[in-house]
Amino acid sequence: DQQVKQNSPSLSVQEGRISILNCDYTNSMFDYFLWYKKYPAEGPTFLISISSIKDKNEDGRFTVFLNKSAKHLSLHIVPSQPGDSAVYFCAASGQGTSYGKLTFGQGTILTVHP
Amino acid sequence: DAGVIQSPRHEVTEMGQEVTLRCKPISGHDYLFWYRQTMMRGLELLIYFNNNVPIDDSGMPEDRFSAKMPNASFSTLKIQPSEPRDSAVYFCASRDGQTSTEAFFGQGTRLTVV
């Protein structure tokens, strides 16, 4: 039962363009969402998050959008840079049985071409 | 703080052998998580602890897997006996439940069972 899904295994983007990574969730008890970035041979590192009381959070080139009615969130990277090439994981946390833990998606491999 | 420390970084073992993975969380963090990364399922939560007490072990694949947290600064994940399908990267993460939903990850242990 995959409660957090990233349906695109990979994404390829030209440098300077926008990268849009998508994530869907099924558990309505989730109320906090995070994006992590992972380079090879390293652990995931936190990138940006959003609470369910907001629909947008911005940090520099990174913006996360949340559509609660659609149970969908997305990460926008503008402009994309070659150093952004990594695996991006969407994660969710919430109340009830989800309290305290992060549930991750499968990840999306982003490749930014120079 | 040095961050979450995992050992060993790489482990190669023969099928049937016992494997023990180790984790030192960030000092002061009251949550500790064990995740397994696979291509198909991304980051799977195996088990997590709060204040050294196991809270949810529903992600542990089977009885061959066990985890302990004897004190606030140390945790182990043991596989006995190991099987080739256990080959994956295992991550430990910790979180300060009072101040943050963000979890900090170690660099992972790449396990290969031959």
Side-chain angles (χ1 to χ4, degrees), chain A residues 92-94 97-103, chain B residues 33 35 45 48 56 58 95:
Chain A
S93 176
T97 57
S98 301
Y99 182 77
K101 65 182 182 183
L102 292 178
T103 301
Chain B
F33 308 86
Y35 285 90
L45 178 64
Y48 79 99
D56 184 349
S58 59
R95 178 168 80 87

Side-chain angles (χ1 to χ4, degrees), chain A residues 1-2 32 34 36 38 41-46 87 89 93 97-107 109, chain B residues 9 31 33 35 37-45 48 56 58 91 95 97 101-108:
Chain A
D1 176 25
Q2 199 78 15
Y32 200 81
L34 307 89
Y36 278 75
K38 184 185 178 306
E42 294 183 11
T45 55
F46 170 74
V87 181
F89 289 98
S93 176
T97 57
S98 301
Y99 182 77
K101 65 182 182 183
L102 292 178
T103 301
F104 283 83
Q106 306 95 311
I109 301 170
Chain B
R9 289 295 309 276
Y31 281 87
F33 308 86
Y35 285 90
Q37 184 189 6
T38 62
M39 290 294 291
M40 290 297 294
R41 299 179 66 85
L43 282 164
E44 281 181 280
L45 178 64
Y48 79 99
D56 184 349
S58 59
F91 288 101
R95 178 168 80 87
T101 304
E102 173 192 347
F104 295 82
F105 282 77
Q107 291 190 294

